[in-house]
Amino acid sequence: MAAQNSAGIQTLLDAEREAQKIVQKARTYRTQKVKDARSEAQKEIEEYRKQKEAEFKEFEAQHTGVHSQAEKDAQEEVKGSLEEIKKLGEEKTDKVVEDLLAAVTDIQPKAHRNFKPANAA
């Protein structure tokens, strides 16, 4: 009976080793599947990022042209305004200088509007 128990115990030990091997294989398989899923997800994320970056660059290129044209138009308008101001300044310089000199040299003393004469008693 001892030999039969010993053979039964040996069979159980062999079965336990087989089960451990199967469990280890399952763990390894699961770990590999998780790694594969992560790498696949990372690839999908990269592809999505590249796609969105390309869309953004296309959008930016389309709208940058509009802004640059508006900027050029604004610069031309400012140039035109500055030239007009310079032209007017050159035309009116003599008159302005004349008016300033007249204002400085032609003194007309007047009492200030808030001045209240003191009653002479």
Side-chain angles (χ1 to χ4, degrees):
M1 190 150 229
Q4 196 177 22
N5 282 342
S6 176
I9 293 174
Q10 191 61 38
T11 304
L12 287 175
L13 288 174
D14 289 342
E16 187 178 348
R17 282 190 212 110
E18 265 312 301
Q20 284 178 349
K21 286 180 184 178
I22 291 171
V23 168
Q24 185 60 36
K25 282 183 181 179
R27 285 182 183 155
T28 304
Y29 179 77
R30 187 187 72 202
T31 304
Q32 187 60 42
K33 282 293 186 184
V34 169
K35 287 180 182 177
D36 292 346
R38 282 185 183 158
S39 104
E40 185 65 29
Q42 190 63 35
K43 286 178 186 176
E44 288 179 14
I45 290 169
E46 264 318 298
E47 288 176 16
Y48 183 75
R49 181 179 293 136
K50 286 179 183 177
Q51 175 189 354
K52 288 298 175 183
E53 283 179 3
E55 288 176 12
F56 175 72
K57 286 184 180 185
E58 180 180 334
F59 175 82
E60 191 177 41
Q62 288 175 352
H63 290 82
T64 300
V66 172
H67 293 302
S68 64
Q69 184 61 39
E71 189 175 321
K72 286 179 183 177
D73 293 345
Q75 285 178 350
E76 288 177 15
E77 185 178 332
V78 168
K79 275 185 181 178
S81 296
L82 285 174
E83 288 176 10
E84 185 178 333
I85 291 170
K86 285 180 182 178
K87 180 181 168 188
L88 286 173
E90 289 173 0
E91 290 176 3
K92 306 284 181 173
T93 300
D94 294 336
K95 175 94 170 91
V96 170
V97 170
E98 196 176 298
D99 289 347
L100 283 172
L101 287 174
V104 171
T105 57
D106 296 339
I107 300 172
Q108 299 173 358
K110 291 190 239 178
H112 192 272
R113 65 178 178 233
N114 291 334
F115 175 73
K116 293 182 182 177
N119 290 339

